[in-house]
PDB file of all heavy atoms in Angstrom:
ATOM      1  N   VAL A 194      -4.915 -11.007 -12.495  1.00 98.00           N
ATOM      2  CA  VAL A 194      -5.340 -10.350 -13.730  1.00 98.00           C
ATOM      3  C   VAL A 194      -6.686  -9.688 -13.504  1.00 98.00           C
ATOM      4  O   VAL A 194      -7.665 -10.352 -13.128  1.00 98.00           O
ATOM      5  CB  VAL A 194      -5.431 -11.354 -14.906  1.00 98.00           C
ATOM      6  CG1 VAL A 194      -5.785 -10.615 -16.193  1.00 98.00           C
ATOM      7  CG2 VAL A 194      -4.139 -12.134 -15.068  1.00 98.00           C
ATOM      8  N   LEU A 210       1.791 -25.517 -22.193  1.00 97.00           N
ATOM      9  CA  LEU A 210       2.109 -25.161 -20.817  1.00 97.00           C
ATOM     10  C   LEU A 210       3.062 -26.157 -20.186  1.00 97.00           C
ATOM     11  O   LEU A 210       3.967 -25.769 -19.437  1.00 97.00           O
ATOM     12  CB  LEU A 210       0.819 -25.063 -19.989  1.00 97.00           C
ATOM     13  CG  LEU A 210       0.978 -24.783 -18.491  1.00 97.00           C
ATOM     14  CD1 LEU A 210       1.671 -23.451 -18.249  1.00 97.00           C
ATOM     15  CD2 LEU A 210      -0.366 -24.828 -17.780  1.00 97.00           C
ATOM     16  N   ALA A 214       8.856 -25.028 -23.467  1.00 93.00           N
ATOM     17  CA  ALA A 214       8.688 -23.648 -23.936  1.00 93.00           C
ATOM     18  C   ALA A 214       7.223 -23.224 -23.745  1.00 93.00           C
ATOM     19  O   ALA A 214       6.446 -23.226 -24.705  1.00 93.00           O
ATOM     20  CB  ALA A 214       9.101 -23.529 -25.406  1.00 93.00           C
ATOM     21  N   PRO A 224      -8.296 -10.270 -25.070  1.00 96.00           N
ATOM     22  CA  PRO A 224      -7.071  -9.656 -24.534  1.00 96.00           C
ATOM     23  C   PRO A 224      -7.225  -8.167 -24.258  1.00 96.00           C
ATOM     24  O   PRO A 224      -6.587  -7.631 -23.336  1.00 96.00           O
ATOM     25  CB  PRO A 224      -6.041  -9.907 -25.641  1.00 96.00           C
ATOM     26  CG  PRO A 224      -6.577 -11.078 -26.401  1.00 96.00           C
ATOM     27  CD  PRO A 224      -8.066 -10.951 -26.350  1.00 96.00           C
ATOM     28  N   VAL A 234       5.400 -14.850  -6.798  1.00 96.00           N
ATOM     29  CA  VAL A 234       6.025 -16.171  -6.851  1.00 96.00           C
ATOM     30  C   VAL A 234       6.738 -16.438  -5.538  1.00 96.00           C
ATOM     31  O   VAL A 234       7.492 -15.586  -5.035  1.00 96.00           O
ATOM     32  CB  VAL A 234       7.039 -16.264  -8.010  1.00 96.00           C
ATOM     33  CG1 VAL A 234       7.507 -17.711  -8.175  1.00 96.00           C
ATOM     34  CG2 VAL A 234       6.419 -15.754  -9.314  1.00 96.00           C
ATOM     35  N   TYR A 241      18.749 -20.847   8.340  1.00 90.00           N
ATOM     36  CA  TYR A 241      20.007 -20.280   8.815  1.00 90.00           C
ATOM     37  C   TYR A 241      20.016 -20.249  10.332  1.00 90.00           C
ATOM     38  O   TYR A 241      18.981 -20.373  11.001  1.00 90.00           O
ATOM     39  CB  TYR A 241      20.218 -18.863   8.254  1.00 90.00           C
ATOM     40  CG  TYR A 241      19.187 -17.857   8.720  1.00 90.00           C
ATOM     41  CD1 TYR A 241      19.461 -16.996   9.780  1.00 90.00           C
ATOM     42  CD2 TYR A 241      17.946 -17.768   8.103  1.00 90.00           C
ATOM     43  CE1 TYR A 241      18.528 -16.078  10.218  1.00 90.00           C
ATOM     44  CE2 TYR A 241      17.002 -16.842   8.535  1.00 90.00           C
ATOM     45  CZ  TYR A 241      17.291 -16.010   9.585  1.00 90.00           C
ATOM     46  OH  TYR A 241      16.351 -15.108  10.024  1.00 90.00           O
ATOM     47  N   LEU A 269      -9.545 -29.321  -2.171  1.00 97.00           N
ATOM     48  CA  LEU A 269     -10.349 -28.236  -2.739  1.00 97.00           C
ATOM     49  C   LEU A 269     -11.726 -28.221  -2.121  1.00 97.00           C
ATOM     50  O   LEU A 269     -12.446 -29.224  -2.154  1.00 97.00           O
ATOM     51  CB  LEU A 269     -10.441 -28.400  -4.253  1.00 97.00           C
ATOM     52  CG  LEU A 269     -11.071 -27.265  -5.055  1.00 97.00           C
ATOM     53  CD1 LEU A 269     -10.316 -25.968  -4.840  1.00 97.00           C
ATOM     54  CD2 LEU A 269     -11.083 -27.641  -6.537  1.00 97.00           C
ATOM     55  N   ARG A 307     -13.384 -10.443   8.504  1.00 94.00           N
ATOM     56  CA  ARG A 307     -12.133 -10.626   9.226  1.00 94.00           C
ATOM     57  C   ARG A 307     -11.985 -12.103   9.603  1.00 94.00           C
ATOM     58  O   ARG A 307     -12.945 -12.748  10.034  1.00 94.00           O
ATOM     59  CB  ARG A 307     -12.119  -9.777  10.502  1.00 94.00           C
ATOM     60  CG  ARG A 307     -10.768  -9.775  11.237  1.00 94.00           C
ATOM     61  CD  ARG A 307     -10.866  -8.959  12.521  1.00 94.00           C
ATOM     62  NE  ARG A 307     -11.135  -7.564  12.247  1.00 94.00           N
ATOM     63  CZ  ARG A 307     -10.211  -6.657  11.954  1.00 94.00           C
ATOM     64  NH1 ARG A 307      -8.948  -7.018  11.864  1.00 94.00           N
ATOM     65  NH2 ARG A 307     -10.539  -5.414  11.714  1.00 94.00           N
ATOM     66  N   LEU A 310      -9.184 -16.791  13.000  1.00 92.00           N
ATOM     67  CA  LEU A 310      -7.917 -17.187  13.577  1.00 92.00           C
ATOM     68  C   LEU A 310      -6.889 -16.064  13.466  1.00 92.00           C
ATOM     69  O   LEU A 310      -6.911 -15.272  12.515  1.00 92.00           O
ATOM     70  CB  LEU A 310      -7.375 -18.445  12.864  1.00 92.00           C
ATOM     71  CG  LEU A 310      -8.156 -19.742  13.049  1.00 92.00           C
ATOM     72  CD1 LEU A 310      -7.534 -20.853  12.227  1.00 92.00           C
ATOM     73  CD2 LEU A 310      -8.220 -20.140  14.518  1.00 92.00           C
ATOM     74  N   THR A 317     -11.361  -7.995   1.951  1.00 94.00           N
ATOM     75  CA  THR A 317     -12.483  -7.558   1.139  1.00 94.00           C
ATOM     76  C   THR A 317     -12.710  -8.581   0.041  1.00 94.00           C
ATOM     77  O   THR A 317     -11.951  -9.560  -0.097  1.00 94.00           O
ATOM     78  CB  THR A 317     -12.217  -6.188   0.501  1.00 94.00           C
ATOM     79  OG1 THR A 317     -11.161  -6.322  -0.482  1.00 94.00           O
ATOM     80  CG2 THR A 317     -11.792  -5.150   1.543  1.00 94.00           C
ATOM     81  N   ARG A 333      18.150 -28.253  10.606  1.00 92.00           N
ATOM     82  CA  ARG A 333      19.487 -28.796  10.379  1.00 92.00           C
ATOM     83  C   ARG A 333      20.529 -28.218  11.331  1.00 92.00           C
ATOM     84  O   ARG A 333      21.712 -28.503  11.211  1.00 92.00           O
ATOM     85  CB  ARG A 333      19.901 -28.527   8.926  1.00 92.00           C
ATOM     86  CG  ARG A 333      19.145 -29.388   7.924  1.00 92.00           C
ATOM     87  CD  ARG A 333      19.430 -28.994   6.491  1.00 92.00           C
ATOM     88  NE  ARG A 333      18.784 -27.757   6.116  1.00 92.00           N
ATOM     89  CZ  ARG A 333      18.830 -27.232   4.884  1.00 92.00           C
ATOM     90  NH1 ARG A 333      19.509 -27.860   3.930  1.00 92.00           N
ATOM     91  NH2 ARG A 333      18.216 -26.103   4.612  1.00 92.00           N
ATOM     92  N   VAL A 343      10.009 -14.078  -1.583  1.00 96.00           N
ATOM     93  CA  VAL A 343       8.816 -13.780  -2.383  1.00 96.00           C
ATOM     94  C   VAL A 343       9.230 -12.836  -3.509  1.00 96.00           C
ATOM     95  O   VAL A 343       9.826 -11.781  -3.260  1.00 96.00           O
ATOM     96  CB  VAL A 343       7.711 -13.122  -1.522  1.00 96.00           C
ATOM     97  CG1 VAL A 343       6.474 -12.871  -2.365  1.00 96.00           C
ATOM     98  CG2 VAL A 343       7.386 -14.002  -0.322  1.00 96.00           C
ATOM     99  N   ALA A 358       2.844   0.293   8.598  1.00 92.00           N
ATOM    100  CA  ALA A 358       1.854   1.093   9.330  1.00 92.00           C
ATOM    101  C   ALA A 358       1.789   0.572  10.766  1.00 92.00           C
ATOM    102  O   ALA A 358       1.660  -0.637  11.002  1.00 92.00           O
ATOM    103  CB  ALA A 358       0.483   0.992   8.668  1.00 92.00           C
ATOM    104  N   ASP A 362      -3.694   0.113  18.395  1.00 84.00           N
ATOM    105  CA  ASP A 362      -4.817  -0.811  18.560  1.00 84.00           C
ATOM    106  C   ASP A 362      -4.390  -2.225  18.179  1.00 84.00           C
ATOM    107  O   ASP A 362      -4.145  -2.525  17.018  1.00 84.00           O
ATOM    108  CB  ASP A 362      -5.989  -0.355  17.669  1.00 84.00           C
ATOM    109  CG  ASP A 362      -7.219  -1.245  17.853  1.00 84.00           C
ATOM    110  OD1 ASP A 362      -7.202  -2.085  18.769  1.00 84.00           O
ATOM    111  OD2 ASP A 362      -8.178  -1.085  17.093  1.00 84.00           O
ATOM    112  N   ARG A 380       4.115   4.535 -11.622  1.00 79.00           N
ATOM    113  CA  ARG A 380       5.284   5.372 -11.319  1.00 79.00           C
ATOM    114  C   ARG A 380       4.923   6.846 -11.126  1.00 79.00           C
ATOM    115  O   ARG A 380       5.647   7.579 -10.479  1.00 79.00           O
ATOM    116  CB  ARG A 380       6.343   5.225 -12.399  1.00 79.00           C
ATOM    117  CG  ARG A 380       6.974   3.833 -12.401  1.00 79.00           C
ATOM    118  CD  ARG A 380       8.308   3.811 -13.100  1.00 79.00           C
ATOM    119  NE  ARG A 380       8.877   2.460 -13.124  1.00 79.00           N
ATOM    120  CZ  ARG A 380       9.618   1.954 -12.156  1.00 79.00           C
ATOM    121  NH1 ARG A 380       9.877   2.671 -11.083  1.00 79.00           N
ATOM    122  NH2 ARG A 380      10.112   0.725 -12.258  1.00 79.00           N
ATOM    123  N   SER A 387      -2.102  -3.190  -6.901  1.00 96.00           N
ATOM    124  CA  SER A 387      -2.238  -4.460  -6.193  1.00 96.00           C
ATOM    125  C   SER A 387      -1.413  -4.403  -4.915  1.00 96.00           C
ATOM    126  O   SER A 387      -0.645  -3.465  -4.703  1.00 96.00           O
ATOM    127  CB  SER A 387      -1.798  -5.639  -7.061  1.00 96.00           C
ATOM    128  OG  SER A 387      -0.411  -5.590  -7.302  1.00 96.00           O
ATOM    129  N   ASP A 405       1.953 -18.166  21.096  1.00 91.00           N
ATOM    130  CA  ASP A 405       2.556 -18.949  20.007  1.00 91.00           C
ATOM    131  C   ASP A 405       3.229 -18.061  18.973  1.00 91.00           C
ATOM    132  O   ASP A 405       3.665 -18.551  17.928  1.00 91.00           O
ATOM    133  CB  ASP A 405       1.500 -19.813  19.321  1.00 91.00           C
ATOM    134  CG  ASP A 405       0.865 -20.831  20.263  1.00 91.00           C
ATOM    135  OD1 ASP A 405       1.604 -21.413  21.069  1.00 91.00           O
ATOM    136  OD2 ASP A 405      -0.358 -21.011  20.210  1.00 91.00           O
ATOM    137  N   ARG A 410      10.179 -10.659  10.370  1.00 92.00           N
ATOM    138  CA  ARG A 410      10.872  -9.472   9.867  1.00 92.00           C
ATOM    139  C   ARG A 410      10.914  -9.487   8.344  1.00 92.00           C
ATOM    140  O   ARG A 410      10.920 -10.564   7.732  1.00 92.00           O
ATOM    141  CB  ARG A 410      12.310  -9.410  10.410  1.00 92.00           C
ATOM    142  CG  ARG A 410      12.394  -9.194  11.916  1.00 92.00           C
ATOM    143  CD  ARG A 410      13.823  -9.200  12.380  1.00 92.00           C
ATOM    144  NE  ARG A 410      13.947  -8.976  13.822  1.00 92.00           N
ATOM    145  CZ  ARG A 410      15.080  -9.064  14.503  1.00 92.00           C
ATOM    146  NH1 ARG A 410      16.196  -9.378  13.860  1.00 92.00           N
ATOM    147  NH2 ARG A 410      15.104  -8.852  15.804  1.00 92.00           N
ATOM    148  N   PRO A 422      12.017 -15.797 -11.770  1.00 69.00           N
ATOM    149  CA  PRO A 422      11.298 -16.820 -11.008  1.00 69.00           C
ATOM    150  C   PRO A 422      11.041 -18.053 -11.875  1.00 69.00           C
ATOM    151  O   PRO A 422      10.567 -17.927 -13.000  1.00 69.00           O
ATOM    152  CB  PRO A 422       9.975 -16.111 -10.646  1.00 69.00           C
ATOM    153  CG  PRO A 422      10.262 -14.654 -10.787  1.00 69.00           C
ATOM    154  CD  PRO A 422      11.267 -14.543 -11.877  1.00 69.00           C
ATOM    155  N   SER A 463       3.479 -20.957  10.839  1.00 97.00           N
ATOM    156  CA  SER A 463       2.422 -20.508   9.948  1.00 97.00           C
ATOM    157  C   SER A 463       2.486 -18.997   9.799  1.00 97.00           C
ATOM    158  O   SER A 463       2.543 -18.270  10.802  1.00 97.00           O
ATOM    159  CB  SER A 463       1.051 -20.932  10.506  1.00 97.00           C
ATOM    160  OG  SER A 463       0.001 -20.299   9.795  1.00 97.00           O
ATOM    161  N   LYS A 475      -7.532  -1.222   5.435  1.00 87.00           N
ATOM    162  CA  LYS A 475      -6.967  -0.494   6.572  1.00 87.00           C
ATOM    163  C   LYS A 475      -7.823  -0.740   7.801  1.00 87.00           C
ATOM    164  O   LYS A 475      -9.038  -0.583   7.764  1.00 87.00           O
ATOM    165  CB  LYS A 475      -6.889   1.005   6.287  1.00 87.00           C
ATOM    166  CG  LYS A 475      -5.856   1.376   5.233  1.00 87.00           C
ATOM    167  CD  LYS A 475      -5.757   2.883   5.069  1.00 87.00           C
ATOM    168  CE  LYS A 475      -4.691   3.264   4.047  1.00 87.00           C
ATOM    169  NZ  LYS A 475      -4.589   4.744   3.878  1.00 87.00           N
ATOM    170  N   SER A 484     -15.135   3.272  22.532  1.00 63.00           N
ATOM    171  CA  SER A 484     -15.841   3.463  23.802  1.00 63.00           C
ATOM    172  C   SER A 484     -14.860   3.466  24.974  1.00 63.00           C
ATOM    173  O   SER A 484     -14.944   4.304  25.861  1.00 63.00           O
ATOM    174  CB  SER A 484     -16.875   2.343  23.991  1.00 63.00           C
ATOM    175  OG  SER A 484     -17.805   2.341  22.943  1.00 63.00           O
ATOM    176  N   LEU A 490     -10.247   8.560  28.421  1.00 68.00           N
ATOM    177  CA  LEU A 490      -9.790   9.940  28.254  1.00 68.00           C
ATOM    178  C   LEU A 490     -10.844  10.954  28.667  1.00 68.00           C
ATOM    179  O   LEU A 490     -10.514  12.038  29.164  1.00 68.00           O
ATOM    180  CB  LEU A 490      -9.414  10.185  26.778  1.00 68.00           C
ATOM    181  CG  LEU A 490      -8.259   9.319  26.242  1.00 68.00           C
ATOM    182  CD1 LEU A 490      -8.050   9.608  24.762  1.00 68.00           C
ATOM    183  CD2 LEU A 490      -6.975   9.576  27.019  1.00 68.00           C
TER     184      LEU A 490
END
Side-chain angles (χ1 to χ4, degrees):
V194 184
L210 176 61
V234 189
Y241 64 98
L269 188 58
R307 187 183 296 275
L310 293 177
T317 68
R333 288 173 286 183
V343 182
D362 183 8
R380 292 200 181 273
S387 67
D405 299 319
R410 294 178 179 173
S463 169
K475 290 185 178 180
S484 301
L490 298 177

